Amino acid sequence: MYQQEKINPYGKEGEKGTLVEEMFDNIAPTYDTLNHRLSWDIDRGWRRKAIMKLKPEAPQTLLDIATGTGDFAILAARMLNLSQIVGVDISEGMMEIGRQKVKNEGLDKTISFKKEDCLNLSFPEGSFDAVTAAFGIRNFSDLDRGLREMCRVLRKGGCLSIVELSQPKSFPMRQLFKLYSHTFLPLYAKLISKDQGAYDYLTATIEAFPQGEEMIGILKKAGFGKASFKRLTFGICTMYFARK
């Protein structure tokens, strides 16, 4: 078991997936505002880089894991010539906001949403050309199982593109990030979302989540072949790319 799998939202006892669903339903109305403001809008660029890695592959079908309010799916629809994008999540509260955003963008014929347990996806093996995930896999209660499912639903030769928050390794960014995440972030989250506990959880999982070379080993164990990573913005985010 990886360290972040032991951390539950709000410090509650119980099944992690159920608690994560409850947390994201709670913060859904303010999630987009906080996400962009807390990253100073840099998160948009991180998503763009992850999608650009897929462009040479020319995928036609894409599965967006832990899609949330659909930002990654919407950006992929704009940047790639896709015939179908399916966004899956355990939080209906988040996806309901995503559905409205997709409708407003006129992308509802391309993007659909479905409530799914990402550890036990309902799609047949080899259903998608590409799988993406932005800032979601560290919430899995079983990372290995979730990654195996992502590999299973990819066609042979299909690609995985992930962006995930991470801890900077070098001085002084490591120290500055810790100060920011433990002081400013929870206070601002409490002010905007009224749910400081959710953002305390998110900070704790960032610090506990495996990253870099360790994550590459985990991806290969899950069934992916060639895998690589790139640290973005001084290591605040890490991008992973792998092939089935």
Side-chain angles (χ1 to χ4, degrees), residues 72-86:
F72 209 161
I74 290 168
L75 191 58
R78 291 175 182 159
M79 293 178 63
L80 304 173
N81 186 28
L82 293 154
S83 60
Q84 180 192 32
I85 302 172
V86 181

Side-chain angles (χ1 to χ4, degrees), residues 14-148:
E15 201 280 314
K16 181 166 182 169
T18 301
L19 295 172
V20 168
E21 179 181 359
E22 175 190 342
M23 179 188 73
F24 279 109
D25 281 345
N26 288 344
I27 64 175
T30 57
Y31 179 81
D32 282 343
T33 299
L34 269 170
N35 209 28
H36 299 317
R37 288 186 184 178
L38 289 172
S39 71
W40 306 91
D41 265 350
I42 299 171
D43 62 301
R44 299 179 195 271
W46 295 335
R47 290 186 180 90
R48 190 170 288 107
K49 286 178 185 293
I51 293 168
M52 283 300 295
K53 288 288 289 184
L54 292 174
K55 201 161 190 175
E57 309 294 328
Q60 288 299 298
T61 57
L62 184 147
L63 177 67
D64 188 32
I65 294 285
T67 192
T69 62
D71 276 358
F72 209 161
I74 290 168
L75 191 58
R78 291 175 182 159
M79 293 178 63
L80 304 173
N81 186 28
L82 293 154
S83 60
Q84 180 192 32
I85 302 172
V86 181
V88 297
D89 205 288
I90 59 171
S91 169
E92 278 289 359
M94 296 282 278
M95 287 191 294
E96 193 52 45
I97 292 170
R99 289 184 185 100
Q100 189 58 53
K101 285 161 63 175
V102 163
K103 185 177 180 181
N104 292 343
E105 293 275 346
L107 293 170
D108 43 328
K109 291 184 178 179
T110 302
I111 302 173
S112 62
F113 293 90
K114 187 175 183 183
K115 185 172 182 176
E116 288 271 338
D117 176 1
C118 293
L119 306 185
N120 188 26
L121 296 168
S122 65
F123 308 101
E125 185 172 345
S127 295
F128 297 94
D129 298 328
V131 173
T132 56
F135 320 120
I137 63 170
R138 75 178 188 281
N139 297 311
F140 287 174
S141 60
D142 186 334
L143 178 62
D144 288 333
R145 183 175 172 184
L147 291 172
R148 285 197 302 269

Side-chain angles (χ1 to χ4, degrees), residues 147-196:
L147 291 172
R148 285 197 302 269
E149 277 294 274
M150 293 161 79
C151 187
R152 181 184 67 80
V153 300
L154 266 176
R155 65 165 173 79
K156 187 176 180 181
C159 294
L160 172 73
S161 189
I162 293 172
V163 281
E164 188 54 80
L165 294 170
S166 52
Q167 276 202 106
K169 293 290 187 182
S170 304
F171 176 86
M173 283 305 300
R174 184 180 178 86
Q175 288 73 17
L176 289 171
F177 180 76
K178 190 164 188 175
L179 179 67
Y180 176 81
S181 62
H182 283 271
T183 55
F184 177 78
L185 189 152
L187 287 173
Y188 192 68
K190 184 178 181 180
L191 179 67
I192 300 297
S193 75
K194 314 300 181 186
D195 194 337
Q196 181 180 333

